[in-house]
Every structure is written in structure tokens, then in C-alpha cells.
Amino acid sequence: MSFQVFGIPVSRGVAIGRAVLVTSSRVDVAHYFITDEQVIAEIQRATQARDEVAQELEALKQDLPHDAPHELAALLDVHLMLLHDEALVGATRQWIVERHYNAEWALSAQLEVLARQFDEMEDDYLRERKADLEQVVERILSALAREQGRTPSDAASVVQRDFAGEDPLLLVAADIAPADMMQFKRSVFHGFITDIGGKTSHTAIVARSMDIPAVVGTREASRLIRQDDWVIIDGDAGAVIVNPSPIMLEEYRFRQRQSELERARLARLRHTPAVTLDGEKVALHANIELPADATAAIDAGATGVGLFRSEFLFMNREGELPDEEEQFLAYRAAVEAMRGLPVTIRTVDVGADKPLDRMSASELRHEHVLNPAMGLRAIRWSLSEPSMFRQQLRAIYRASAFGKVRVLIPMVAHLGEMRQIQESLKKVQQQLTDAGRAFTKVDLGVMIEIPAAALMLPLLLPYVDFVSIGTNDLIQYTLAIDRADEAVAHLYDPWHPAVLHLLATTIAQARAADKSVSVCGEMAGDPLFTDLLLAMGLRSFSMHPSQIPSVKQRVLRADASRLARLLPDLAASEDPQAAVEAAFSAVRRNH
């Protein structure tokens, strides 16, 4: 039966493929693809774990006291029967052989299939046997975890390996942590669907960086969609179509082909300088998460890296933070890959929806904070861990010997923080000089993502060389909206007059002080905002590499001076989005 699920569109385009449900059982387990050579060994792992559980159950039966209720022995018999049922054993083996799932994933996938069958049974007694099945599978998963030297709960991350299946695969999950999303960078998945999340949650941001369709905030998708269902992701409308009809399938395949043609056309703009019709040069930088992403930035025609999110070097490490040398090598790799173009490295921005695997001592004291978005995160966390902060700064400064490097500080709100930062910078420079380490001048910038920072910008500007506006958090904090909460996602409004006022004021004040200013939040990569930001005087944008071509096309068609003359009237509008679209489209038509 075909049905639709609706959520929040976060990455445009159409994806068609088979559903892959991750962590669908009650026990979190590792999910990864295995190679052809590993199939037999993985089947043996599953078989050995099942045999181990069978021995445990038989031992329990033998150890039952003589006066034990008859029902206990009968229950153990039911579990033993389920343990050897071909519907579980044979199908699990099939997942391993045909889909190349690891044993844990194969068991979880088949549990999902069988659990739904139990749910659809009319007989109450049979329907309640689902709990027995879950208990049996959990025993097998525990046996597999013991064999790997871990517990099921600490093996929840999803690891990708090379896999060549016949059908495209779409990932369906209740949620995907940002650190896990990073492992999907070059994965087999062609699209993502999650139950929770908002338009600018970091899961959504990484999905956009991969340039594949994604819909989040669907609430029930992971429970409604079954393993191996045919699914269409409409990343433009935020719709998920499950088991589509042949007519609908053909319509979306046509849309896929049209989208591919449009991408090919935009790709031809790669080497075209981003200059407006009236001759204003515009820098289009790239946001990256890992050094390897610099290649995609160059391929997209980026004029530099406007935001290197260094926190992703700190994630998925089982609590072991990268040392100075490892960070230096990563930063140097990105700098060298950019071939002399500037690289802006943001100091680690953990907290809120980007926690580390293991909290430091200072974080442990705050692990039960009610609102992590307003807690110990970003520069607050760095300043609470001064040795870690200086270690990262030393690595960044050392990388400056290999190209143009800038350092960006997130979530600044107090002048006292700026003074502490400058003290740390001076100490780091002295340490490197004493150690004979090479480095060059590194420009210092702050992210304007808290309304307080925007309002006190004139006081901050003497301390910095440049300003970068993080619109994602600026919107969140200005409107008091948790950007990862789908329950209030409809209130997250980048067109809100207060947000636009802070943007325009920040850009104007930075330009007046002769300090460079850029926008590195999601607004920078949305062509709907390009004309507006140009009108405000912005001449530096930073976005995901995949978004550069469409924004460049908008820049090439814009007349910045004419757009700027329209800005005062638009600022007074009750509906800025409608006013901007009407006014700026009229300007484009006149050209």
C-alpha cells in the first residue's frame, strides 16, 4: 500500500531507492557493510552467537527447580523454538549474503520485519509473542557484543564500507548524530529520512554538504517505513512517498533526470568569477568538516574555505581527543589542498547537538543541564579547558606556515572572553617561537551568532580582523527557537524582521570599520537570500561546496547597486520575504 509521510525539506532533489532502517531494534547495535570475503565469517558469527544462546537456555531449563511453575519451562521452549526458526535464522543469513549487512544489523533488520508481522496478527496471544522474539534477538545481540568485547549500548555508530548493491539505498532512522553523519560522506546512501531534527540541525547541514536529498522531522517515518520498502524522497517538498505507484515512480524519475541536467549546466560556471552586473566582486567560500572536503571545495570553484568546522576532528574517537600533532596534520592538509586560497578554521564548537563521545571533567559537572544550547559550549568550553584550547591554537598557527590561515572564534558574547582569547594567542605565539616552530600572521575573527554580540559589535571590532555571521544560531537565539526541535521548526524564520535587522546592522558596522564580513550560516547557501544579502552590502559568502554554483548564478544576474537602493523600503515591510521576492524579481526582469 502506498502512503506519504511529510517532514521538513533540508536538502533538495529527488532520491529513489530501498529503505534501510538503522537501529530498529530495542538494542543499539553497530551497523556496517561487509565485503564479499567476510560473508562466510559473518554468517559463522551469527551462528555461533545463536548456538551460545541456545546453550544458555538449555542450561536454564536444566537448572529449573522441581517446584518451578510449568510456564517457565514452556517459555524457555518457546524461546528455543524461535531461536531455531528459519524465519529468523534463514532470513538473517539472507540479509548478510544479499545485502552484505553485518550480523548485528542483519538480526535487527529481520527483527523489524517479524515484529511487524506479529503486530498485524489478530490473535492477542500470538501478537504478544513479539516480546519473546525481541528477547531472543537481544540475547543473540548480547552474545555478538561479548564476542567483540563490547556491550550493545556502546556500539551504536554506523560504519560504512564499500558496497555495490543493485538498488539505491535510502537511510531511515529516528535520528542520526552529527558524528555518525560524517561517516556517510562517501557512503552508499542516496538520501536520508529522520524522525526528528530541524532545517538547520547539524544532521541537516551535513546532508546538504553531501548534496543528497533529505527530509527530517517526519516524527513517525522510522516506525511506518519497513525494511526494503521502495521509497521516494522529495527533498523540495519535504515529502516521503512509500511504495509509490508506477505512474508516480516514473514522474519522479523524470524529475531526477531534469535535476541532473540542471546540475550539469550550473557546473559550467565553475571557473567564472563571481561578479555582479555592476562590477562588484563577490567571494564564494566553502564550508568544510574534514580536510578531505577541501577537494570538493576546489572542484566547486570556491575562492577559499570560509568555515572549517574543526569539531568533527574530535568526534567518533571513543573519548580520545586529537593531540596537537594530529590536528596540525589535518589543518595543514586542508591548507595545502586549497592551493594558496585562504582557510578559516573555527575553534572547536562542541555542545548542544554536537557532544563529544566522552565529556571532560568540566563537562561532567554540567551533564544534566536543561538547555545545552545555552550551556557550556563553543568558546565557553574552550576557555574552561585552557590547555586543550592552546593546543588547538598551536596546531592552527603551525599550519599557517603552509598557506593563508585565519582563526574564527564561535559564540563570543563578552569582552572578557576576547581578552582571554588574546592572552591565549600571545602565549601560543611565544611557545611556538621558543620551540622554533614556523608560523605566520593569523587573522583573528569572531562569529556573530548571539544577539548580544551583534548589538555590541562596535566594542568587539577593535579586537578582531574580520567578522563572520553564523545565521543558524543567530536566528535560534534571536527567536528563542531550538533549531533541532521539529515541534517548533515552523517558528524558525530567517525572514523575521528582527533577524534581518541584526544582519543588516552587523554588515554595515563591520564595513564602516573596514573589517571584512561574511555570512557562513545556511542563509549564505540559499539563493533566495542572495539578492537580499548583496543589497545589505555583503560581498563574502561561505556555504557548502554543492551550493556554490546556484548562488554564483544568482550573483552573476544581480545588480548590487540597484538592489541596495530598495533596501530601506523592504526593511519597513510587514512581510519581508514577499516584498523582497517581488522587488528583486522586478530588478532581474529589467535586466
Side-chain angles (χ1 to χ4, degrees):
M1 182 184 71
S2 180
F3 63 91
Q4 295 187 31
V5 179
F6 294 92
I8 302 167
V10 296
S11 188
R12 297 173 181 175
V14 172
I16 303 171
R18 296 275 191 182
V20 174
L21 271 69
V22 170
T23 313
S24 54
S25 74
R26 294 190 300 178
V27 178
D28 289 341
V29 297
H31 298 68
Y32 54 84
F33 290 108
I34 59 174
T35 63
D36 289 333
E37 293 76 16
Q38 295 171 308
V39 168
I40 294 176
E42 205 65 17
I43 292 174
Q44 290 175 345
R45 284 187 65 227
T47 302
Q48 290 171 1
R50 183 202 62 184
D51 292 345
E52 181 182 327
V53 173
Q55 291 173 7
E56 291 174 357
L57 295 177
E58 290 288 1
L60 286 172
K61 275 187 66 178
Q62 296 298 324
D63 292 341
L64 283 176
H66 296 295
D67 58 348
H70 172 72
E71 289 79 8
L72 282 180
L75 179 61
L76 290 173
D77 285 335
V78 169
H79 283 205
L80 281 165
M81 180 186 68
L82 290 170
L83 194 61
H84 293 92
D85 193 319
E86 191 64 17
L88 177 64
V89 178
T92 297
R93 187 183 302 114
Q94 190 173 357
W95 285 112
I96 296 173
V97 172
E98 295 183 1
R99 192 57 72 77
H100 284 50
Y101 288 179
N102 67 307
E104 292 90 340
W105 192 353
L107 273 165
S108 299
Q110 187 57 19
L111 172 60
E112 179 72 26
V113 172
L114 295 176
R116 291 181 185 275
Q117 293 177 7
F118 276 103
D119 287 338
E120 293 170 358
M121 293 178 178
E122 295 183 3
D123 186 278
D124 290 342
Y125 175 80
L126 291 176
R127 192 163 57 245
E128 289 172 2
R129 298 285 64 77
K130 182 178 78 168
D132 295 316
L133 175 68
E134 290 173 335
Q135 291 168 11
V136 167
V137 171
E138 288 173 15
R139 279 183 173 274
I140 302 174
L141 291 172
S142 295
L144 286 165
R146 288 195 298 273
E147 175 250 336
Q148 296 281 54
R150 66 191 180 204
T151 60
S153 60
D154 67 15
S157 64
V158 184
V159 181
Q160 292 304 311
R161 299 184 183 176
D162 292 336
F163 174 74
E166 293 182 3
D167 300 322
L169 302 180
L170 309 181
L171 184 66
V172 184
D175 190 22
I176 309 171
D180 288 337
M181 281 293 295
M182 295 310 300
Q183 299 184 47
F184 300 141
K185 275 286 189 178
R186 281 159 289 279
S187 74
V188 299
F189 295 113
H190 290 68
F192 297 91
I193 305 165
T194 63
D195 293 346
I196 66 175
K199 195 172 182 65
T200 54
S201 63
H202 282 87
T203 297
I205 291 171
V206 177
R208 277 192 291 275
S209 75
M210 296 165 62
D211 195 22
I212 59 175
V215 175
V216 302
T218 60
R219 294 178 179 263
E220 300 289 332
S222 69
R223 282 186 273 185
L224 295 173
I225 299 173
R226 305 186 181 200
Q227 288 281 3
D228 242 22
D229 275 348
W230 273 104
V231 175
I232 296 172
I233 298 177
D234 186 339
D236 298 305
V240 176
I241 303 153
V242 184
N243 297 320
S245 66
I247 294 176
M248 186 166 289
L249 200 56
E250 186 53 39
E251 177 185 339
Y252 273 96
R253 281 179 174 151
F254 173 77
R255 286 180 54 181
Q256 268 189 321
R257 292 192 293 270
Q258 292 296 107
S259 178
E260 289 167 2
L261 290 172
E262 175 65 12
R263 290 187 185 189
R265 187 180 65 81
L266 288 175
R268 293 198 292 267
L269 298 176
R270 174 188 170 190
H271 298 296
T272 303
V275 181
T276 64
L277 293 171
D278 54 333
E280 291 284 333
K281 294 181 180 179
V282 178
L284 298 181
H285 294 338
N287 296 344
I288 66 173
E289 285 82 33
L290 296 171
D293 299 337
T295 301
I298 290 291
D299 291 343
T303 52
V305 169
L307 178 63
F308 182 159
R309 296 185 174 98
S310 67
E311 57 271 13
F312 288 100
L313 297 174
F314 290 68
M315 294 180 174
N316 273 3
R317 303 177 57 90
E318 299 180 355
E320 295 297 324
L321 302 183
D323 60 18
E324 178 183 329
E325 190 65 20
E326 183 180 346
Q327 289 187 65
F328 159 66
L329 293 174
Y331 304 145
R332 187 184 72 180
V335 170
E336 290 179 335
M338 291 307 295
R339 307 170 192 172
L341 296 173
V343 176
T344 302
I345 302 172
R346 182 174 69 184
T347 58
V348 60
D349 183 9
V350 295
D353 62 346
K354 293 179 294 180
L356 294 181
D357 299 326
R358 185 191 67 192
M359 289 183 290
S360 65
S362 61
E363 285 180 287
L364 284 170
R365 297 192 296 271
H366 297 79
E367 63 177 315
H368 299 298
V369 293
L370 295 178
N371 191 341
M374 296 187 179
L376 190 67
R377 56 169 297 198
I379 188 57
R380 299 171 182 177
W381 184 75
S382 293
L383 292 176
S384 74
E385 300 284 346
S387 61
M388 183 283 302
F389 185 45
R390 289 194 295 270
Q391 183 182 76
Q392 181 174 33
L393 291 176
R394 284 195 299 272
I396 293 172
Y397 266 77
R398 288 172 60 191
S400 72
F402 298 86
K404 184 172 176 55
V405 173
R406 308 194 304 173
V407 63
L408 180 61
I409 309 296
M411 208 175 172
V412 169
H414 302 274
L415 289 178
E417 293 170 336
M418 290 305 307
R419 297 187 186 103
Q420 287 181 267
I421 292 164
Q422 289 202 327
E423 289 174 8
S424 295
L425 289 173
K426 290 178 182 177
K427 189 167 186 177
V428 161
Q429 292 174 39
Q430 188 60 53
Q431 289 173 338
L432 292 175
T433 299
D434 293 344
R437 297 282 193 180
F439 67 92
T440 60
K441 183 180 186 305
V442 175
D443 285 347
L444 173 65
V446 291
M447 289 193 74
I448 303 301
E449 47 192 342
I450 298 177
L455 294 171
M456 63 178 288
L457 184 60
L459 298 177
L460 289 173
L461 287 173
Y463 290 86
V464 300
D465 301 297
F466 68 98
V467 168
S468 186
I469 306 172
T471 53
N472 302 344
D473 273 334
L474 184 63
I475 297 166
Q476 169 177 250
Y477 292 126
T478 301
L479 302 182
I481 299 296
D482 184 346
R483 61 192 178 100
D485 187 349
E486 73 279 4
V488 292
H490 63 288
L491 298 175
Y492 184 93
D493 181 15
W495 291 100
H496 194 286
V499 173
L500 299 184
H501 174 73
L502 289 175
L503 268 173
T505 302
T506 300
I507 293 169
Q509 290 180 340
R511 284 170 59 93
D514 199 26
K515 299 293 174 75
S516 63
V517 56
S518 67
V519 168
C520 63
E522 289 302 296
M523 287 175 68
D526 189 340
L528 293 176
F529 290 96
T530 304
D531 287 345
L532 178 62
L533 293 172
L534 289 171
M536 290 179 177
L538 189 72
R539 297 296 181 264
S540 179
F541 298 66
S542 190
M543 66 205 75
H544 299 297
S546 62
Q547 297 169 318
I548 290 176
S550 57
V551 172
K552 181 181 286 188
Q553 177 180 256
R554 200 76 175 226
V555 169
L556 294 172
R557 296 176 177 178
D559 185 324
S561 58
R562 292 189 64 185
L563 294 175
R565 289 196 291 270
L566 298 174
L567 193 60
D569 293 336
L570 298 174
S573 173
E574 293 183 1
D575 187 351
Q577 182 175 3
V580 165
E581 290 175 353
F584 292 171
S585 61
V587 170
R588 288 194 299 273
R589 281 197 303 271
N590 291 336
H591 281 281

